[in-house]
Each structure stands twice: as C-alpha cells, then as structure tokens.
C-alpha cells in the first residue's frame, strides 16, 4: 500500500512539473517555429519607400501530359499572381493562339495562401495569450488549449493541400477572371489554385449542351512547383508534431493518475509509438530532474501497457 502511495506521489510531482515547466518550454519552441512560418507569409510586399519587400518569382507552368494547348508564364509575389502571360489554343480549328495577360494593376489573389496565413495567426494568438505569468490549472485545460492550436494548424495545412471544390458557375463568375486583359473568350473559363507545393492553372473549354446549359467540353491543366510552399507545409507538419508530442506527454500522465481526459484531436501526422510514449516520462526539463526516475524506469513495461490500452479505447 505504501509503495502504491509513493508511486502516485512520484507521478503527481512529475505531472505538476510537466504542466509548470515542460509545457511552457514546449509552447515557447512552438511559438518560435510559428513565428518563422508567419514571417515567411508576410506579404506586405510593396511600399513607396522600400519598393518590393517580397521578392517576385517567375514560373513557367507546363502540362503534366506535355500538351501544348495552354502556355502560361506567371510572376508570383507572395499570395498574388502579379503578372501572367497566357496563350490558348483549345481547338484544332484555331490557327493562332489566343493571348491575354494579367497586369500588375489587377493581380490575381491566391486566397488559399491568405487563409493559411490567417489560421497560422490564430494559432500564434492562442500561444501569445498564454505568455507571461500564466499558470495552467489542470491537464484538461492544457489539452484543450493544445487541441485549439492543433485545429488551427490542421486547417492551415488543409488550406494549402486541399483546394476547395468550385462549381462551374463559381469558376465562370469569379471576379478574379477580370484580371485578364483582353478578356477571355466567352467559351473559356480559367482557375488558378494551390495544391500542396504546386500552383495549378485549370482551363475549361465550354459549350452549350442540349438542355441549353453551359457545360465543359474539355479541361486542360498546367502547373509549376513553388519551393517556399513546400517549406510552409513542412513547417505546419513540424508544428503539428510538436503539439501532439506535448499532448501525448500530458495524456499519458493523466491516464496513469486516472484523471479525466478529453478526446484526442486527430492530427494528420503519425502518433508517437508506445515505446516513445513510455520514454516521455523520463524526458524532463532541468527543473524536474529531482524526481525519482528509478521507479519510473522500473515501471516502463506497465506504463507502456497502460498507454496501449488508452490508445485502443
């Protein structure tokens, strides 16, 4: 009986130490990572005094199938297609390609990138509200805050990796289409969007079907890879993993102490394995080094079994 009481006291001390020190240190590291990501997405790219603060980048969009119906060169500045040259030859009867441009005065905004930045800012805001002398009152509160941060990170990552599906009507009536000069032909619709680290241009050749409705007769696609988008996705993934590791450490201790838990937020990253979870008990900050690790080391097998049951349930 005394041994069980001692074991619980050891776990209780570690639990309190994790909330007081490990969590604060982990959130500070997470904030540093998100600050770097936020700086990369700072698109106040032009001012009269300094000119461009975000370097314009030129990309040639090519077809995955080596088709020649669509040719496009774009200049990307942050979340804007600042300039573009587009040549279309969608039918065999068309002898000369139709050429149109996007000029700097009327750029095409990539809303997905702005949405990802917004989610990143909200995740940072949650962490910044905890800075200073804030003390977590319980593991449940800590898990709730980590879940809120993880939710913003997942939504931000999905903004870049899962483009919103649009109806043909939404594509045709998109105000951004007016960026092209001269105007696109009436039987043509286009859409720029981001998917993972690629910028994609989809071109639709339209016709009126037997029901007198506008329909798609052919779809063409050209694309390019934007390196800094890949870096942003990696930052989102790294931040999500850091958030999950903090959550796993707290959840494991709460399970050992039979504290009430809330549901785990499903993250698009791999969970920590059982052997890694048991080692989390020993990965302490310097402030927690006075805890008796001898008992923790001896009870790793039992802790791992408990962790396994927690994940299954």
């Amino acid at each position: 009986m005394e041994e069980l009481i001692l074991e619980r006291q050891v776990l209780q001390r570690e639990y309190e130490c994790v909330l007081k020190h490990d969590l604060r240190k982990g959130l500070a590291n997470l904030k540093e990572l998100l600050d770097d990501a936020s700086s990369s997405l700072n698109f106040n790219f032009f001012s009269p005094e300094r000119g461009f603060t975000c370097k314009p980048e030129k990309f040639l969009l090519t077809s995955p199938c080596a088709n020649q119906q669509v040719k496009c060169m774009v200049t990307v500045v942050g979340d804007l297609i600042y300039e573009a040259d587009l040549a279309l030859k969608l039918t065999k009867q068309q002898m000369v390609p139709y050429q149109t441009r996007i000029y700097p005065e009327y750029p095409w905004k990539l809303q997905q990138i702005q949405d990802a930045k917004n989610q990143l800012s909200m995740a940072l805001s949650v962490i910044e509200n905890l800075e200073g002398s804030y003390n977590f009152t319980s593991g449940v509160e800590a898990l709730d805050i980590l879940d809120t941060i993880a939710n913003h990170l997942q939504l931000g990552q999905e903004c870049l990796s899962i483009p919103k599906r649009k109806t043909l009507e939404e594509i045709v009536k998109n105000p951004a289409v007016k960026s092209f000069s001269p105007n696109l032909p009436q039987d043509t619709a286009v859409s720029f969007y981001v998917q993972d680290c690629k910028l994609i241009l989809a071109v639709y050749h339209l016709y009126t079907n037997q029901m007198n409705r506008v329909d798609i007769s052919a779809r063409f696609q050209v694309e390019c890879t934007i390196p800094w988008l890949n870096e942003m996705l990696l930052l989102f993934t790294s931040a999500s993993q850091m958030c999950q590791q903090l959550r796993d450490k707290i959840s494991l201790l709460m399970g050992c102490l039979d504290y009430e838990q809330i549901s785990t937020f499903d993250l698009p990253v791999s969970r920590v394995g059982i052997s890694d979870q048991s080692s989390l008990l020993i990965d302490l900050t310097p402030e927690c080094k006075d805890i008796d690790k001898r008992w923790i080391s001896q009870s790793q097998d039992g802790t791992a079994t408990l962790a396994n049951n927690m994940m299954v349930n």
Side-chain angles (χ1 to χ4, degrees):
M1 185 65 181
E2 292 182 0
E3 184 179 352
L4 290 176
I5 294 175
L6 177 60
E7 291 173 357
R8 184 174 181 85
Q9 289 175 344
V10 171
L11 286 172
Q12 180 65 34
R13 290 178 63 191
E14 183 178 353
Y15 172 70
E16 294 172 357
C17 196
V18 165
L19 290 181
K20 185 176 180 180
H21 299 291
D22 289 43
L23 183 57
R24 188 178 299 278
K25 180 181 178 182
L27 288 174
N29 292 336
L30 183 60
K31 181 180 182 300
E32 184 177 350
L33 181 63
L34 296 182
D35 279 334
D36 290 341
S38 182
S39 299
S40 300
L41 289 176
N42 184 12
F43 299 138
N44 298 321
F45 63 90
F46 183 81
S47 66
E49 299 82 10
R50 294 183 296 171
F52 282 110
T53 59
C54 183
K55 183 180 178 181
E57 299 175 285
K58 284 186 176 292
F59 298 98
L60 175 64
L61 282 68
T62 58
S63 170
C65 304
N67 294 328
Q68 300 296 316
Q69 287 91 342
V70 178
K71 295 181 180 180
C72 186
M73 174 76 77
V74 299
T75 300
V76 176
V77 183
D79 59 349
L80 298 177
I81 298 177
Y82 189 66
E83 291 181 286
D85 290 290
L86 178 61
L88 304 172
K89 189 176 180 181
L90 305 185
T91 64
K92 295 181 180 179
Q93 293 78 18
Q94 187 178 347
M95 301 301 295
V96 180
Y98 184 86
Q99 296 186 341
T100 182
R101 296 198 69 210
I102 292 177
Y103 291 91
E105 293 81 5
Y106 301 101
W108 183 301
K109 186 174 181 64
L110 297 168
Q111 188 61 42
Q112 290 171 257
I113 299 178
Q114 179 63 55
D115 291 342
K117 181 182 178 182
N118 292 342
Q119 293 295 335
L120 188 63
S121 298
M122 286 187 278
L124 266 172
S125 178
V126 174
I127 300 175
E128 289 169 352
N129 289 336
L130 303 174
E131 290 185 337
S133 59
Y134 186 87
N135 291 317
F136 291 93
T137 58
S138 68
V140 172
E141 179 193 18
L143 293 178
D144 185 51
I145 289 172
L146 288 172
D147 281 351
T148 300
I149 297 171
N151 182 53
H152 288 309
L153 294 175
Q154 179 175 340
L155 292 175
Q157 189 169 17
E158 288 178 353
C159 288
L160 300 177
S161 59
I162 307 176
K164 179 183 176 182
R165 295 183 66 87
K166 296 181 180 180
T167 65
L168 179 57
E169 182 179 7
E170 289 175 325
I171 293 173
V172 172
K173 294 184 178 180
N174 184 358
V177 174
K178 296 180 181 179
S179 298
F180 284 100
S181 180
N183 294 332
L184 293 168
Q186 291 187 347
D187 62 352
T188 305
V190 302
S191 178
F192 283 104
Y193 63 93
V194 169
Q195 187 169 17
D196 293 325
C197 60
K198 292 183 178 181
L199 173 64
I200 298 173
L201 169 63
V203 179
Y204 304 89
H205 191 222
L206 310 178
Y207 76 106
T208 303
N209 61 25
Q210 295 178 352
M211 301 179 65
N212 201 32
R213 294 180 180 177
V214 176
D215 206 344
I216 299 172
S217 63
R219 181 186 184 277
F220 307 93
Q221 178 174 311
V222 289
E223 60 189 46
C224 68
T225 298
I226 299 181
W228 60 264
L229 279 178
N230 187 54
E231 294 173 4
M232 286 307 307
L233 289 168
L234 291 175
L235 285 172
F236 271 114
T237 300
S238 297
S240 296
Q241 288 174 336
M242 291 176 64
C243 203
Q244 185 64 48
Q245 287 168 0
L246 286 171
R247 197 190 199 291
D248 285 342
K249 181 179 290 190
I250 297 170
S251 296
L252 185 59
L253 287 169
M254 289 177 64
C256 293
L257 293 167
D258 297 325
Y259 286 167
E260 179 184 358
Q261 295 197 57
I262 58 177
S263 60
T264 302
F265 189 86
D266 293 327
L267 291 174
V269 295
S270 299
R271 291 184 57 82
V272 178
I274 296 172
S275 60
D276 295 325
Q277 286 181 319
S278 61
S279 67
L280 289 175
L281 287 172
I282 305 177
D283 182 19
L284 304 174
T285 56
E287 292 82 356
C288 302
K289 293 299 184 181
D290 61 333
I291 294 177
D292 185 358
K293 304 185 193 68
R294 288 175 296 174
W295 175 83
I296 297 174
S297 177
Q298 292 169 359
S299 62
Q300 281 188 20
D301 292 339
T303 304
T305 301
L306 176 57
N308 186 37
N309 291 334
M310 289 165 55
M311 289 188 290
V312 171
N313 292 335

